[in-house]
Amino acid sequence: VVRDIAPMIERLVGEAVILRLRTAGTRPVRADRSQLDQVILNLCVNARDAMPRGGELTIETRDVDLDPIRAAVLGAASGGPYVTLCVTDTGAGMDAATRARIFEPFFTTKPPGFGTGLGLSTTDDIVRAAGGTIEVASQVGRGTTFTLTFPAIDEHSGAHEVLDLADEDTPTVLVVDDESEV
């Protein structure tokens, strides 16, 4: 997903921001593709806005294994295999008071006409709906890192489960497409 959306991110953040991708790991997660795109774009727009004179934006993915204690700290359902998506900028950063409110609907630090305050609220809702968690680390003048952690799914455990709904009175339709997402 990150590699596919990277050209759009580059156009979105402009030439003053250097985009770095560090994509590793291959575990699948159960999430809506368009919503995941929206999450990444929301975080990148905020990063761009935090770096008006330019800077670096790094998007990193990796497989991780959470022990039960770390999973509990994150608010995850259980320990086990997860995938993290980190979006880090070298922008203005946030103080503790701002960090405490960033997921509130309609809270924004942007001037009127430059944001609705719904981007991070929506991001939080999407991540949680996918069973994930979101952490924020930020220091004023040193940038911000959003770390999203999603439970990995076993590709062979029913993630692509086929349900046999056919009976003698129900016709069967087979659809074959060369697009893996379809």
Side-chain angles (χ1 to χ4, degrees):
V1 170
V2 171
R3 280 186 236 118
D4 288 349
I5 200 171
M8 183 184 305
I9 294 169
E10 286 178 325
R11 287 189 303 273
L12 188 69
V13 298
E15 294 177 6
V17 175
I18 298 167
L19 177 62
R20 300 191 191 287
L21 300 180
R22 295 186 180 127
T23 55
T26 58
R27 290 178 180 157
V29 299
R30 181 169 289 137
D32 181 272
R33 170 69 185 258
S34 63
Q35 289 185 337
L36 198 50
D37 287 347
Q38 181 181 0
V39 163
I40 295 167
L41 290 174
N42 282 344
L43 294 174
C44 290
V45 165
N46 285 347
R48 177 203 64 198
D49 293 348
M51 301 182 289
R53 292 191 254 324
E56 291 185 18
L57 173 61
T58 303
I59 304 172
E60 180 179 5
T61 62
R62 66 179 176 272
D63 293 339
V64 296
D65 292 303
L66 297 182
D67 62 60
I69 295 170
R70 177 69 178 140
V73 168
L74 286 175
S78 63
Y82 284 79
V83 176
T84 61
L85 168 68
C86 296
V87 178
T88 302
D89 68 62
T90 58
M94 295 178 273
D95 60 24
T98 302
R99 280 193 315 273
R101 297 191 61 204
I102 59 172
F103 296 115
E104 291 178 17
F106 306 108
F107 175 77
T108 184
T109 59
K110 297 174 185 173
F114 288 93
T116 62
L118 292 174
L120 289 176
S121 175
T122 301
T123 293
D124 186 49
D125 288 345
I126 291 170
V127 170
R128 291 186 190 285
T133 64
I134 187 166
E135 294 178 283
V136 182
S138 186
Q139 286 186 311
V140 174
R142 297 202 170 211
T144 301
T145 298
F146 284 87
T147 302
L148 289 57
T149 305
F150 297 95
I153 57 172
D154 182 354
E155 290 180 273
H156 307 293
S157 71
H160 305 286
E161 185 177 315
V162 177
L163 301 176
D164 183 9
L165 300 176
D167 62 28
E168 290 131 28
D169 298 324
T170 306
T172 301
V173 177
L174 174 66
V175 177
V176 179
D177 199 297
D178 64 349
E179 296 276 336
S180 62
E181 291 181 24
V182 172

